[in-house]
Amino acid sequence: MSHRISSDVGAQETDITNETLLQHHSEAPYIHKVGIPPKQNLMQEFTATLKETLFADDPLRWFKDQPQSRKFIIGIQSVFPILEWGRHYNLAKFRGDLIAGLTIASLCIPQDIGYSKLANLPPQYGLYSSFVPPLIYAFMGSSRDIAIGPVAVVSLLLGTLLHKEIDPAKNPNDYRRLAFTATFFAGITEVMLGFFRLGFLIDFLSHAAVVGFMGGAAITIALQQLKDLLGITKFTKETDIVSVMRSVWGTVAHGWNWQTIVIGVTFLAFLLLAKYIGKKNRKLFWVPAIAPLISVILSTFCVYITHADKHHVAIVGKIKKGVNPSSVKEIFFTGTYLAKGFKIGVVAGMIALTEAIAIGRTFATTKDYQIDGNKEMIALGTMNVVGSMTSCYIATGSFSRSAVNYTAGCQTAVSNIVMSCVVLLTLELITPLFKYTPKAILASIIISAVVGLIDIEAAILIWKIDKLDFIACMGAFFGVVFVSVEIGLLIAVSISFAKILLQVTRPRTAILGKLPRTTVYRNILQYPEATKVPGVLIVRVDSAIYFSNSNYIRERILRWLGDEEEYLKENNQPRIQYLIVEMSPITDIDTSGIRALDELHKSLKKRDIQLVLANPGPVVMDKLHSSKFTDMIGEDNIFLTVSDAVVTCSPKIEQA
């Protein structure tokens, strides 16, 4: 009897237990399984990767579902955007473009004469480079605000690199020919980058490195102008600050010309005051824009009536009159200078392209319109290829002129056409009037122009945001100032690549904890209130896992685990039974990465710890499945979220 009663009680207890378990199971959250993306064949995978790499903007989207005649028109408009926006052009827009074009023309004429000196070329070549290239760009470019012409940094870089190959004083003809050759290959480089949609390559030169390089180049350019500003006749050919200052102070007793100094310093003060006025009141934008031309006119008149050139005040001299002569036959297509021209052109072209794209994007963002980076490269490259055949040297977007163009109210690229027409009239009619222009005034104009390239605020912001970026910035800056322009550029590129390699080979990892009253797991260093789950270690890897970092990631996770186990042992807390790897930031993984996960899994098995994966992306999940790694750890140990993994795997779940 008692046996029957005990049996009934036992059966009743079993039923209650089963009912409780079923109730608990029904209340447990539904655990989603991680989906495996549909398998693609080799051609589909290759096509998808190629499209995302080179054609992410889907350039052919405008051609879809269009008749053949319309496709032809769209194709022509894609090459010459002026045919598209030109249909909606009107007198109101032309009024804005006319004012802007005349304004930037008044700025570019004296600047071009000075910048050609930086490139060690006669002054007319600077004017040539503001006539043909802007016309080509106006028809092919997609930016409404960028102003085309020679710029200080590229002129200095080109002049420095060319001077290392040929002395312009001893062999001016071959020097000029090498300049045209470098311009030709600079254009070819830019066209190829745009045609093959490789514009992302210029992004490897980081913003911080560009800020440092531009600042260093500005200092170097300003130092080079001390020769003409002080009237020094014998000056060093080196560009580093030590050599320049030694040359300056070494001639202070007998090499300076006081008349030149008076002219240069007086007008430099005037130009800087004009820039200050324009900066304080945007409505007076025309003051700094027209100040260089006024300075040239006044200083030329003063030199002419006082005969200052007879008192050792250096003047520009005769500037060749007329439009650009053809230079097709002057380009080196054979011989020893071909390779040298190619090398110089690639370097100078990349720098010119970087500056132009940065300027175009800046003003496009300000006016809220889009520019096509690849079209820009083709347009810039084409204008330089054509320019090399019409006696021009490398032209690109000028920040100072583009800023004036924008402020003056330009509406379209027609402002470049207006500027080009003014330069044409200057070449045909006015160049003889520049004969008595003192070189000191050109030095003053260049110094006042490059001052804006020194961006101290940007450098301070870089220091606050990222110390590695600041090192790249300062490395480029000091490399240019203390060694040379090309060394500074090399340092800028090297540090940019070093930063990329450092971030790829040493990615960030973090231990995650549960935020109170949520199912969210975050970095315990960022959220101190986040608590660890007993018996579980949750780790996040903030990078793709490749051959370059796979061993580091495996060792770093094991080091996290070792530190945690040691801490738990010292505090008599339950040991780790599960290691959960949060994989949502892991965008990709290669065979080395999968091998590292395999080795991590084996190491954990020896410690009686289960490896669990949370939220692998489609690319990662596909590769894990293809490698059979999912079978090795069990698909039951792969979860959609960290919360699902903790609910399923944790021996003790701390209720917040």
Side-chain angles (χ1 to χ4, degrees):
M1 184 71 176
S2 61
H3 176 71
R4 184 183 299 173
I5 292 173
S6 62
S7 298
D8 293 341
V9 171
Q12 190 175 8
E13 288 178 351
T14 301
D15 291 340
I16 293 172
T17 303
N18 290 335
E19 184 179 349
T20 304
L21 288 172
L22 288 171
Q23 184 178 0
H24 175 75
H25 181 74
S26 64
E27 291 176 354
Y30 177 73
I31 305 299
H32 292 268
K33 290 292 183 181
V34 177
I36 301 173
K39 193 68 177 175
Q40 293 181 318
N41 59 41
L42 180 61
M43 182 55 65
Q44 289 175 327
E45 187 174 349
F46 174 78
T47 303
T49 303
L50 183 67
K51 181 179 178 181
E52 191 60 32
T53 302
L54 302 179
F55 305 97
D57 56 343
D58 193 11
L60 300 180
R61 63 187 183 278
W62 307 112
F63 294 87
K64 293 178 180 177
D65 303 322
Q66 296 291 338
Q68 289 297 327
S69 58
R70 181 60 184 163
K71 286 181 179 179
F72 176 76
I73 294 173
I74 294 174
I76 295 296
Q77 289 176 346
S78 65
V79 178
F80 302 103
I82 193 173
L83 298 178
E84 181 179 1
W85 55 260
R87 293 180 301 164
H88 311 290
Y89 199 71
N90 53 43
L91 188 61
K93 290 182 179 180
F94 177 70
R95 190 182 299 113
D97 287 334
L98 179 63
I99 295 172
L102 293 174
T103 307
I104 59 176
S106 67
L107 177 62
C108 86
I109 292 169
Q111 281 188 349
D112 290 345
I113 296 173
Y115 291 161
S116 61
K117 184 165 64 74
L118 290 176
N120 300 315
L121 290 167
Q124 64 267 21
Y125 291 99
L127 295 172
Y128 292 161
S129 301
S130 279
F131 170 46
V132 173
L135 286 177
I136 303 296
Y137 181 84
F139 282 85
M140 299 186 66
S142 58
S143 173
R144 306 172 194 168
D145 303 279
I146 195 169
I148 298 298
V151 297
V153 174
V154 177
S155 298
L156 176 67
L157 178 63
L158 184 66
T160 303
L161 295 176
L162 292 174
H163 193 278
K164 289 185 178 298
E165 304 297 338
I166 301 175
D167 189 335
K170 296 179 180 178
N171 195 350
N173 290 332
D174 281 349
Y175 182 90
R176 185 181 66 251
R177 293 184 64 188
L178 187 60
F180 295 150
T181 305
T183 302
F184 175 80
F185 284 111
I188 292 295
T189 300
E190 292 167 343
V191 169
M192 290 297 101
L193 287 175
F195 183 79
F196 291 107
R197 309 185 67 81
L198 300 175
F200 60 86
L201 293 176
I202 65 174
D203 293 331
F204 282 102
L205 193 60
S206 68
H207 170 69
V210 171
V211 168
F213 176 75
M214 291 294 186
I219 297 291
T220 301
I221 291 167
L223 290 173
Q224 291 288 305
Q225 303 318 302
L226 293 178
K227 174 189 176 183
D228 292 327
L229 191 70
L230 302 175
I232 302 172
T233 54
K234 293 183 179 180
F235 200 73
T236 179
K237 295 180 180 179
E238 301 297 326
T239 59
D240 64 282
I241 188 171
V242 176
S243 300
V244 171
M245 296 313 296
R246 185 184 292 122
S247 183
V248 168
W249 293 113
T251 57
V252 66
H254 57 278
W256 294 13
N257 181 275
W258 70 267
Q259 296 98 328
T260 302
I261 294 173
V262 169
I263 294 172
V265 173
T266 301
F267 282 100
L268 177 60
F270 169 69
L271 291 167
L272 293 176
L273 177 63
K275 286 177 73 75
Y276 178 78
I277 293 171
K279 191 174 182 180
K280 283 295 182 182
N281 189 345
R282 291 178 63 87
K283 292 182 179 179
L284 299 176
F285 66 89
W286 53 271
V287 174
I290 203 171
L293 190 58
I294 292 174
S295 299
V296 168
I297 294 171
L298 291 178
S299 63
T300 303
F301 180 72
C302 290
V303 169
Y304 180 74
I305 63 172
T306 61
H307 301 287
D309 56 309
K310 307 290 188 189
H311 298 86
H312 307 292
V313 173
I315 59 175
V316 171
K318 185 178 179 180
I319 299 178
K320 187 177 180 181
K321 187 179 177 182
V323 297
N324 307 30
S326 174
S327 56
V328 176
K329 295 181 179 179
E330 295 196 45
I331 299 174
F332 288 113
F333 290 112
T334 58
T336 56
Y337 288 127
L338 174 62
K340 294 176 180 179
F342 174 78
K343 180 184 69 175
I344 296 171
V346 169
V347 174
M350 291 289 280
I351 294 299
L353 194 59
T354 301
E355 186 170 356
I357 295 297
I359 293 169
R361 287 174 178 170
T362 299
F363 289 107
T365 302
T366 304
K367 282 191 175 180
D368 193 25
Y369 68 91
Q370 297 291 325
I371 65 169
D372 189 322
N374 292 294
K375 285 183 182 178
E376 284 292 286
M377 294 175 203
I378 293 174
L380 292 165
T382 303
M383 76 181 192
N384 278 317
V385 170
V386 176
S388 70
M389 300 177 181
T390 52
S391 299
C392 303
Y393 74 94
I394 299 174
T396 186
S398 166
F399 187 82
S400 59
R401 275 177 254 174
S402 298
V404 170
N405 195 31
Y406 168 78
T407 310
C410 72
Q411 299 296 315
T412 66
V414 170
S415 60
N416 276 292
I417 298 177
V418 173
M419 178 191 71
S420 182
C421 292
V422 174
V423 172
L424 172 62
L425 292 174
T426 302
L427 285 166
E428 287 286 7
L429 305 173
I430 307 175
T431 48
L433 300 179
F434 290 112
K435 178 180 179 180
Y436 290 98
T437 300
K439 291 184 178 181
I441 197 64
L442 299 180
S444 300
I445 291 170
I446 292 172
I447 291 173
S448 65
V450 299
V451 164
L453 296 177
I454 306 172
D455 198 340
I456 298 176
E457 292 181 0
I460 294 172
L461 183 62
I462 290 168
W463 166 259
K464 291 179 180 179
I465 295 174
D466 193 319
K467 301 302 184 288
L468 281 177
D469 266 353
F470 185 76
I471 292 174
C473 179
M474 290 298 99
F477 177 81
F478 288 118
V480 173
V481 171
F482 285 98
V483 188
S484 64
V485 176
E486 59 267 33
I487 292 298
L489 179 60
L490 180 62
I491 291 173
V493 173
S494 300
I495 294 179
S496 297
F497 270 101
K499 184 185 176 186
I500 294 172
L501 291 175
L502 182 62
Q503 292 176 336
V504 170
T505 57
R506 293 294 181 267
R508 297 182 185 276
T509 56
I511 293 181
L512 308 185
K514 182 173 177 290
L515 293 177
R517 298 178 297 279
T518 70
T519 58
V520 177
Y521 292 80
R522 290 293 183 267
N523 188 342
I524 60 175
L525 294 179
Q526 184 179 1
Y527 299 92
E529 69 274 18
T531 57
K532 297 177 184 178
V533 179
V536 177
L537 179 65
I538 309 170
V539 178
R540 188 184 67 213
V541 179
D542 295 334
S543 168
I545 304 179
Y546 294 128
F547 65 92
S548 58
N549 61 20
S550 57
N551 286 328
Y552 168 79
I553 290 173
R554 176 180 57 81
E555 291 169 1
R556 190 69 187 89
I557 292 175
L558 290 174
R559 196 156 68 248
W560 280 124
L561 181 62
D563 293 343
E564 189 69 15
E565 286 181 328
E566 186 176 339
Y567 172 80
L568 295 175
K569 188 175 182 180
E570 290 176 356
N571 292 272
N572 296 318
Q573 294 184 19
R575 71 176 186 85
I576 300 295
Q577 298 182 43
Y578 296 95
L579 174 68
I580 301 176
V581 180
E582 158 69 298
M583 303 189 74
S584 54
I586 302 175
T587 56
D588 200 358
I589 190 169
D590 65 2
T591 53
S592 297
I594 294 174
R595 182 178 178 83
L597 287 181
D598 181 34
E599 292 173 354
L600 175 64
H601 174 61
K602 291 176 180 177
S603 297
L604 294 176
K605 282 187 69 176
K606 293 177 182 178
R607 304 186 189 191
D608 195 22
I609 299 174
Q610 177 61 51
L611 175 63
V612 177
L613 307 181
N615 196 22
V619 175
V620 175
M621 190 61 190
D622 179 53
K623 292 183 178 181
L624 293 177
H625 190 265
S626 299
S627 65
K628 306 298 182 183
F629 184 77
T630 53
D631 297 337
M632 186 181 301
I633 67 168
E635 293 196 8
D636 291 339
N637 290 311
I638 303 176
F639 296 90
L640 187 62
T641 65
V642 173
S643 178
D644 288 350
V646 170
V647 167
T648 305
C649 301
S650 175
K652 291 184 179 179
I653 301 177
E654 186 173 282
Q655 299 295 329

